[in-house]
Amino acid sequence: MAPPQNYANHAKRPPLLFLAGCYLSTAATVGIGYLLVVDFSAGTLALFVVAACTAIGLLYARRFSTGVQDRVIRMEERLRLERILPDELTGAIGQLTTDQLIALRFASDAELAGLVRRILAGELTDRKSIKQAVEHWRADHQRV
């Protein structure tokens, strides 16, 4: 069973294999780029293009998966807010940014309305401040 999640331990880092792939493909691109400058050939150019595309592809793969995840979280949180918030706050759901909705996913149902009021008042604005304001953490262990 996973340990209880909180602000100090909630961040999820990319897997080591992904990071190694990014570093190795970037190093290969730089190394082959050097060879391309020193001793130009069609084969070296082809290797350079493959290495560069691999490095760029790995970075985009990570960015696309987290982008899709953010969209899903935004939808889930909007539905959750519509269900939980009092009537006077449901009209303001559209004013919340994606970053604010993503941070609110960690808040318990009981403290959600208070946090939304603080966000709308301008007291809490970014992900970090919202997450730090959460007192009763709602764990999310299924993130990418």
Side-chain angles (χ1 to χ4, degrees):
M1 185 169 153
Q5 214 175 58
N6 56 43
Y7 181 77
N9 71 3
H10 82 284
K12 188 155 184 172
R13 305 286 181 240
L16 182 60
L17 186 60
F18 172 79
L19 292 175
C22 286
Y23 290 137
L24 288 174
S25 60
T26 301
T29 303
V30 171
I32 296 169
Y34 173 76
L35 288 176
L36 191 60
V37 171
V38 172
D39 184 26
F40 181 83
S41 72
T44 307
L45 178 62
L47 282 174
F48 177 79
V49 169
V50 168
C53 289
T54 301
I56 293 168
L58 284 171
L59 295 174
Y60 271 107
R62 175 71 180 166
R63 183 175 174 153
F64 289 160
S65 66
T66 56
V68 169
Q69 178 177 276
D70 288 351
R71 290 178 62 111
V72 171
I73 292 169
R74 185 180 65 203
M75 181 186 65
E76 287 175 341
E77 288 307 307
R78 283 184 175 165
L79 291 171
R80 178 177 172 229
L81 291 172
E82 286 175 5
R83 194 181 73 246
I84 294 172
L85 290 181
D87 291 338
E88 72 267 9
L89 289 177
T90 54
I93 293 172
Q95 296 175 27
L96 300 173
T97 67
T98 299
D99 279 349
Q100 291 168 337
L101 290 166
I102 290 168
L104 283 171
R105 80 179 183 272
F106 296 111
S108 67
D109 292 351
E111 64 185 324
L112 199 55
L115 288 171
V116 170
R117 282 189 182 94
R118 291 175 66 188
I119 291 169
L120 295 173
E123 186 181 334
L124 303 171
T125 55
D126 61 342
R127 282 190 196 195
K128 183 179 180 180
S129 63
I130 296 167
K131 289 178 189 179
Q132 289 175 331
V134 173
E135 293 179 21
H136 303 286
W137 203 268
R138 190 173 143 240
D140 182 5
H141 296 291
Q142 297 182 343
R143 296 189 323 275
V144 173

